[in-house]
Amino acid sequence: MITGDSGFLKEKLKECGYKFTGQRSAILEALIQCTGQHVSTEELFNMVKVKHPEIGLATVYRTMILLDKLGLVHKLDFDDGFSRYELVKPNEDHRHHHLICSSCGSVSEVEEDLLDSLEEQILKKNGFLVKDHRVQFYGLCRNCRG
Ligand SMILES: [Zn+2]
Ligand SMILES: [Zn+2]
């Protein structure tokens, strides 16, 4: 568990002029519990409502849109019909890549960037400076390969 995250997120919210309300803090807490996972709004809502039955799905939904706007979470679409979110890691300047198993639906992460040489080539050939990317690989995970 990364305990520094909560403070970092709180500061960022305040910096951007948003109040750190009890509801937002409850939602952030649930998100921090899911560090390293890719959770849907509904999943977060189900976690939050255990301790905070007063928080509605619409509030969770709006809070996630706000956190995405502030760059605190990444919104992900794994083509499974849900919007998913993950906390942005404090020292991550590029997004990590996702490996999506088309058999069991599991999602794992590739921590290494691996794209430095590709980005260099793009800069040389196209004069385009890559600042970020979204890479999703579809295939079979280790378990499903049998
Ligand atoms: Zn699988
Ligand atoms: Zn991820």
Side-chain angles (χ1 to χ4, degrees):
M1 174 87 28
I2 309 159
T3 44
D5 265 9
S6 173
F8 158 78
L9 296 168
K10 196 171 156 180
E11 281 311 304
K12 183 84 186 177
L13 265 178
K14 279 192 186 160
E15 223 176 80
C16 299
Y18 292 94
K19 283 209 186 90
F20 193 67
T21 62
Q23 297 197 338
R24 282 177 184 154
S25 120
I27 295 165
L28 279 173
E29 214 174 273
L31 251 179
I32 288 165
Q33 273 180 44
C34 300
T35 299
Q37 294 175 49
H38 311 91
V39 284
S40 67
T41 311
E42 288 74 14
E43 283 168 345
L44 271 174
F45 169 65
N46 286 329
M47 289 180 68
V48 167
K49 76 175 180 196
V50 176
K51 273 201 257 171
H52 304 271
E54 75 281 5
I55 299 179
L57 179 59
T59 304
V60 180
Y61 184 78
R62 278 196 308 268
T63 304
M64 295 321 292
I65 290 174
L66 171 68
L67 296 177
D68 184 29
K69 204 176 98 187
L70 297 180
L72 295 172
V73 296
H74 283 150
K75 190 175 181 205
L76 308 159
D77 184 0
F78 295 148
D79 299 326
D80 61 354
F82 292 101
S83 285
R84 294 178 180 279
Y85 294 92
E86 69 184 349
L87 271 175
V88 172
K89 294 164 188 163
N91 299 316
E92 193 177 45
D93 59 338
H94 273 44
R95 287 187 200 210
H96 52 263
H97 316 317
H98 290 111
L99 308 176
I100 302 161
C101 178
S102 41
S103 174
C104 70
S106 70
V107 178
S108 42
E109 301 185 343
V110 182
E111 298 298 337
E112 301 81 28
D113 191 317
L114 307 172
L115 294 179
D116 288 346
S117 65
L118 180 64
E119 289 175 11
E120 259 172 52
Q121 284 184 49
I122 291 171
L123 183 58
K124 263 190 213 150
K125 284 193 190 160
N126 304 70
F128 186 91
L129 176 66
V130 177
K131 303 202 99 176
D132 200 2
H133 41 61
R134 293 175 201 200
V135 184
Q136 297 184 175
F137 295 99
Y138 295 88
L140 291 174
C141 72
R142 192 173 279 142
N143 286 337
C144 293
R145 283 174 55 221

